[in-house]
Amino acid sequence: MAIERTISIIKPDAVSKNVIGKIYDRFESNGLKIVAAKMKHLTREEAEAFYAVHKDRPFFNDLVDFMVSGPVVVMVLEAKNREIMGATNPENAAEGTIRKDFANNTSENAVHGSDSLENAKIEIDFFFNPEEVYVRTIG
């Protein structure tokens, strides 16, 4: 059975609130394994390329501006994380989800997560070389 991997990005708003560890804990407490992670300050070109799928949407420029406003933490997770992240709009997110607990609004919603396995592969490859993603074992 293939290991399902996805990407998550702790966005600048959550990094500035100093809740990186709390978000890591939320993933790990729910059975996800962090198999790669790095802090990065995205360039405008990187943010535009990563969110290119949204380039014709009215929020694209604001999204890019936000994503380059401060450092982010990019990680590869084993298992699904959409339910733990919560709805894009934190007002609609379930209690106990990352976005309900840490997001400011729909634009500054604390975390990004891949929306499909296909996009997860593309997004992982965008940020990580294969040798930067590890297999976790239980000791």
Side-chain angles (χ1 to χ4, degrees):
M1 176 191 253
I3 296 173
E4 184 173 321
R5 289 190 170 145
T6 189
I7 202 163
S8 186
I9 301 173
I10 302 175
K11 294 182 178 181
D13 58 319
V15 171
S16 71
K17 290 179 188 173
N18 203 30
V19 295
I20 296 167
K22 291 178 181 181
I23 293 173
Y24 272 26
D25 180 62
R26 194 69 59 92
F27 287 133
E28 290 184 327
S29 295
N30 282 281
L32 285 86
K33 293 180 182 176
I34 300 168
V35 296
K38 65 173 105 175
M39 183 174 273
K40 180 170 184 51
H41 199 136
L42 297 176
T43 65
R44 181 162 297 283
E45 293 75 23
E46 288 170 326
E48 288 174 347
F50 186 76
Y51 287 107
V53 66
H54 299 301
K55 71 179 180 224
D56 294 327
R57 309 279 304 268
F59 60 82
F60 178 74
N61 289 326
D62 289 339
L63 174 61
V64 170
D65 288 344
F66 170 60
M67 291 303 290
V68 302
S69 68
V72 299
V73 177
V74 185
M75 70 191 96
V76 179
L77 305 168
E78 287 185 349
K80 295 180 182 178
N81 70 332
R82 301 291 300 174
E83 295 80 20
I84 296 165
M85 289 186 338
T88 301
N89 183 340
E91 291 181 13
N92 299 332
E95 291 297 326
T97 61
I98 291 170
R99 288 179 173 149
K100 186 68 166 185
D101 293 343
F102 303 118
N104 294 330
N105 52 53
T106 301
S107 299
E108 297 178 13
N109 61 4
V111 290
H112 164 89
S114 302
D115 62 1
S116 68
L117 289 175
E118 296 78 21
N119 283 340
K121 171 79 172 107
I122 293 166
E123 292 177 352
I124 291 167
D125 291 345
F126 186 90
F127 286 108
F128 295 94
N129 295 318
E131 64 273 6
E132 294 177 302
V133 181
Y134 298 91
V135 175
R136 295 265 306 263
T137 57
I138 298 174

